[in-house]
Amino acid sequence: MNNADFTRQYYLDRRKGNSVKWQRGRKANCLPMWIADMDFKCDQRVIDDLSEFIARGDYGYTNLPEDYYKVLINWHRKRNDVEYKQEWIRPAKGAVDAMYQIIYSLTEKDDGIMICTPLYPPFKATIKECGRKVYESKMINNDGYFTFDYKDIERKLKTGKIRMFMLCSPHNPVGRVFKKGELEELFDLCKKYKVLICSDEVHSDIIMPDQKFIPSLALKKYQNIIISIVAASKTFSLAVYSNSHIIIPNAALRRKLITYQRKHHCGTFNAFNALSTYYNYMYGEEWLNTLNNVVYENYSYFREQLKDCYDMTVLEGSYLLFVNIGQYSTEQYAADTLEKKCGLLVNHGETFGKDYGSWVRINLATSLANVKKAVKALKKLTEK
Ligand SMILES: Cc1ncc(COP(=O)(O)O)c(C=O)c1O
């Protein structure tokens, strides 16, 4: 299917209804390009099968489909060359819920946990909420291409106070799909200083052409210290279903997580929510391949039109672009300028890390027509 047909078939007019993204847009009288939520609906077969489940009216205690794990494991094997075992997989209600569970079960109060900023804000918030200490390492920005500052990371790991490194791969908001060498250098440091790695991979299916996503657990020599979080939620825009998976190969760590889950009564999947993952993994591959083309077309257009005006990240994965509005911002925070002057609602850069107030995060998982409106408004801003 080509991109225009995809948009015709799957673009959702979300202005009516309770979409968080569009309701806020409506209130602010802005085009909403904030929050990591797409404006496309799933493949029709998914909608049909979920509708059939609802129409049957059997809402009693329900098992997962018998081949749920097989379908999940096959998806990751086929798309990302990684082999997960069924017994490694534990349920969570979403990726942030998975973070809470991992932090609470595998670290102690006041343990240090490291993140690399700028970063999706709930990482830091969750660490703090759990009573752990945040250690931040600022990423190095080479012309919109962000990478780890290994020297800084090692300096902090050396203190012996850090128990876990929380990785976002692909990275939100800087759009990186990390190379094998980058991950290995990072994981070598974690291994050396006996630090666990929690790898949030919820953006791993949105990968731009010529990029290859490497799941952390595909690097087998580090398997014992890695816990990954995977989900279909970003891939197919399934936030309403709250379903994610914690992949934890190390048996001793897994036992700790299971003990935590039993104690807090959260060790089972919600079968209805899990169906949305299951049907999408069954039917959604072609849909996803075209979605990736749509995101890439939107990004290419955005970059081509605005690269001479604004610094922006190189988008390798996810549909989230980090853009520096700096020199054209009239407010303290660039996002406020875009809301007031351009009619665009975006995420504030400062929420991703200190000193990023001139940056904004723009969501490109929408129609090209919407991206063109945003580009027009951003160009106009440079002309004032
Ligand atoms: C990297 C990352 N992790 C987690 C989440 C949140 O996922 P969930 O809604 O499943 O908690 C997001 C949402 O944008 C995200 O970008």
Side-chain angles (χ1 to χ4, degrees):
M1 186 182 284
N2 67 36
N3 294 353
D5 286 342
F6 180 93
T7 305
R8 254 190 301 281
Q9 195 165 333
Y10 297 115
Y11 181 77
L12 255 183
D13 183 351
R14 306 175 72 203
R15 284 173 299 181
K16 294 199 185 99
N18 293 325
S19 153
V20 168
K21 181 183 186 180
W22 284 84
Q23 265 193 349
R24 221 186 114 195
R26 200 168 61 221
K27 276 187 195 138
N29 200 21
C30 283
L31 177 65
M33 300 187 85
W34 69 294
I35 204 168
D37 206 22
M38 294 188 212
D39 296 327
F40 300 108
K41 60 179 170 181
C42 308
D43 188 288
Q44 193 56 41
R45 285 168 294 183
V46 177
I47 299 170
D48 290 345
D49 281 6
L50 287 171
S51 305
E52 197 189 308
F53 177 90
I54 290 172
R56 247 193 345 263
D58 179 354
Y59 306 145
Y61 295 114
T62 302
N63 287 316
L64 290 176
E66 236 169 56
D67 59 347
Y68 181 82
Y69 289 98
K70 193 170 151 209
V71 166
L72 172 76
I73 288 166
N74 284 350
W75 176 269
H76 289 278
R77 180 190 300 122
K78 186 169 174 208
R79 290 201 73 90
N80 296 324
D81 290 331
V82 66
E83 195 61 46
Y84 297 141
K85 294 201 173 115
Q86 181 171 334
E87 65 264 28
W88 298 354
I89 302 170
R90 299 296 306 167
K93 287 200 299 286
V96 173
D97 177 58
M99 288 183 202
Y100 273 96
Q101 292 197 39
I102 292 165
I103 294 172
Y104 272 132
S105 61
L106 304 181
T107 67
E108 304 290 331
K109 190 170 175 305
D110 292 331
D111 276 351
I113 300 187
M114 178 168 254
I115 52 172
C116 289
T117 53
L119 182 64
Y120 175 63
F123 278 77
K124 187 173 180 174
T126 305
I127 297 167
K128 283 181 160 175
E129 281 281 327
C130 293
R132 278 51 170 172
K133 298 221 157 66
V134 180
Y135 284 76
E136 237 173 284
S137 176
K138 218 173 166 181
M139 295 177 90
I140 297 169
N141 176 9
N142 291 316
D143 234 353
Y145 190 82
F146 282 69
T147 192
F148 303 112
D149 183 344
Y150 296 105
K151 280 202 181 115
D152 182 58
I153 291 172
E154 179 155 25
R155 209 176 310 121
K156 286 169 177 150
L157 294 185
K158 244 185 201 164
T159 61
K161 293 185 174 154
I162 295 169
R163 173 77 184 127
M164 183 177 277
F165 185 98
M166 293 191 77
L167 173 67
C168 187
S169 171
H171 194 284
N172 169 7
V174 303
R176 285 297 319 285
V177 173
F178 299 112
K179 304 279 174 283
K180 189 167 175 232
E182 288 177 285
L183 292 175
E184 283 177 337
E185 194 167 345
L186 182 67
F187 295 173
D188 279 337
L189 287 176
C190 291
K191 208 169 170 181
K192 182 171 167 190
Y193 293 101
K194 298 190 173 26
V195 168
L196 296 174
I197 298 152
C198 170
S199 183
D200 175 342
E201 303 184 352
V202 297
H203 292 281
S204 64
D205 289 313
I206 318 283
I207 302 296
M208 298 301 101
D210 303 329
Q211 296 298 323
K212 172 94 187 97
F213 171 69
I214 300 169
S216 294
L217 284 169
L219 303 177
K220 288 197 179 140
K221 64 176 166 166
Y222 309 99
Q223 259 182 8
N224 248 354
I225 56 167
I226 294 172
I227 306 103
S228 290
I229 301 170
V230 304
S233 53
K234 292 294 139 195
T235 314
F236 299 105
S237 211
L238 307 174
V240 80
Y241 289 101
S242 301
N243 191 54
S244 70
H245 312 89
I246 301 172
I247 320 272
I248 180 163
N250 179 317
L253 296 179
R254 195 165 62 243
R255 268 195 301 278
K256 282 191 175 179
L257 176 72
I258 292 172
T259 303
Y260 172 89
Q261 291 190 324
R262 289 206 175 118
K263 204 166 151 191
H264 295 86
H265 200 58
C266 60
T268 54
F269 281 98
N270 172 308
F272 178 66
N273 291 355
L275 281 183
S276 67
T277 300
Y278 176 74
Y279 291 137
N280 272 296
Y281 282 164
M282 297 253 284
Y283 305 129
E285 186 150 34
E286 195 193 330
W287 181 99
L288 173 60
N289 291 338
T290 316
L291 173 88
N292 275 325
N293 292 337
V294 168
V295 173
Y296 189 64
E297 184 182 18
N298 290 350
Y299 164 63
S300 304
Y301 178 82
F302 191 101
R303 172 169 280 284
E304 193 45 43
Q305 294 294 316
L306 296 174
K307 66 177 187 310
D308 295 333
C309 316
Y310 300 103
D311 291 334
M312 63 185 85
T313 44
V314 178
L315 192 73
E316 296 181 333
S318 88
Y319 46 74
L320 304 164
L321 194 65
F322 211 38
V323 184
N324 191 351
I325 305 297
Q327 64 193 110
Y328 302 106
S329 182
T330 50
E331 309 289 321
Q332 186 188 0
Y333 298 118
D336 293 333
T337 302
L338 296 200
E339 185 173 338
K340 286 185 186 157
K341 301 244 164 93
C342 301
L344 292 177
L345 214 54
V346 293
N347 285 92
H348 280 245
E350 191 78 6
T351 61
F352 297 88
K354 201 170 154 310
D355 303 332
Y356 287 98
S358 68
W359 292 71
V360 298
R361 193 192 71 178
I362 299 185
N363 179 343
L364 296 174
T366 187
S367 64
L368 182 58
N370 282 340
V371 172
K372 284 185 174 172
K373 277 186 209 158
V375 165
K376 199 169 160 195
L378 284 164
K379 260 195 179 159
K380 222 166 156 198
L381 186 67
T382 67
E383 289 159 8
K384 281 177 186 158

